[in-house]
Amino acid sequence: MLLLIGALLLSVCGGSDALNDAKARMAALQLNAAGFRSTDLPLSAAEKQVYHNIHVLKKLCVLQGEQAQLVCLDGTRDRHAVHDPRLCFRSARWEVLEESVVPHPAGGEMRRMRLRRDDRELETVYWWSTPTERHASAMKYFLQSSLRRMTRGHSGEEPVLVVLQPVQSSQLDWKTWLGPQSPLHSL
């Protein structure tokens, strides 16, 4: 019943085409400032297929000698392309060794996961971000994006999924990467 009401409201209020997206917020990230350096990374063939309708930022970032891959996804045009990253990790054959919701250094929360595939272990973090809030709940993202579509954007800005993971090492110094000077706070 709730889905029927939502579909009816969407047909009356309009779809995601009328919504402001987060493309400008993502483009405004200062990823070559405050000690950060970044270069664009190409999307894989699988990523192109899944993300063809959404705005994606995929970067190799360097901070104090550590390298990380940063992926930001704006699902305004297709929220179904933005889903819980745990699904992607599992489908890529990563075994989840440990996961927890932890405080984000800039406020709110993020999900930290320790993963293993073959002989490699790594720790990754992700969260959904608006200029005023950070959270680690895929369900909350779904509810926020649904409400946003029903209210034609009047309920707030689109949450952007942010995924940050080490490239060469198994773990990053998250307090440094996400501390007070981090450009990622502006998402």
Side-chain angles (χ1 to χ4, degrees):
M1 182 65 167
L2 203 56
L3 288 176
L4 181 61
I5 293 170
L8 183 61
L9 283 172
L10 276 178
S11 68
V12 172
C13 297
S16 63
D17 292 339
L19 294 175
N20 290 330
D21 58 32
K23 184 178 182 178
R25 274 186 9 232
M26 291 167 50
L29 283 176
Q30 298 294 313
L31 294 175
N32 288 309
F36 273 73
R37 288 190 336 266
S38 72
T39 55
D40 290 333
L41 289 174
L43 296 178
S44 68
E47 289 170 328
K48 285 179 184 176
Q49 195 171 23
V50 173
Y51 301 146
H52 71 279
N53 284 331
I54 69 171
H55 299 298
V56 179
L57 179 122
K58 184 177 179 184
K59 298 271 191 179
L60 173 65
C61 298
V62 179
L63 177 65
Q64 298 180 0
E66 289 186 316
Q67 292 185 346
Q69 177 179 280
L70 170 69
V71 176
C72 301
L73 305 174
D74 168 13
T76 302
R77 302 287 178 247
D78 180 4
R79 71 166 180 218
H80 302 292
V82 180
H83 49 270
D84 193 329
R86 292 177 289 190
L87 300 172
C88 292
F89 290 125
R90 288 183 178 118
S91 68
R93 299 184 344 264
W94 286 96
E95 176 188 0
V96 177
L97 300 175
E98 182 182 326
E99 71 175 285
S100 58
V101 174
V102 297
H104 189 289
E109 60 188 26
M110 62 185 184
R111 185 170 300 272
R112 182 174 55 203
M113 297 178 68
R114 200 165 55 87
L115 306 165
R116 178 176 46 218
R117 182 173 68 188
D118 302 325
D119 292 334
R120 179 158 190 235
E121 284 191 21
L122 69 84
E123 184 178 86
T124 186
V125 295
Y126 68 88
W127 65 94
W128 280 269
S129 184
T130 69
T132 59
E133 175 186 33
R134 287 166 208 83
H135 65 81
S137 171
M139 180 57 75
K140 184 172 182 177
Y141 165 71
F142 175 77
L143 294 172
Q144 282 177 312
S145 64
S146 296
L147 182 61
R148 212 169 163 262
R149 280 148 184 77
M150 288 189 292
T151 64
R152 300 186 76 190
H154 294 290
S155 64
E157 294 196 45
E158 183 72 18
V160 172
L161 175 60
V162 182
V163 182
L164 187 62
Q165 63 188 46
V167 172
Q168 295 171 324
S169 63
S170 62
Q171 186 174 347
L172 296 173
D173 178 355
W174 302 118
K175 289 184 180 174
T176 299
W177 279 85
L178 302 172
Q181 302 304 314
S182 177
L184 300 177
H185 298 180
S186 64
L187 276 174

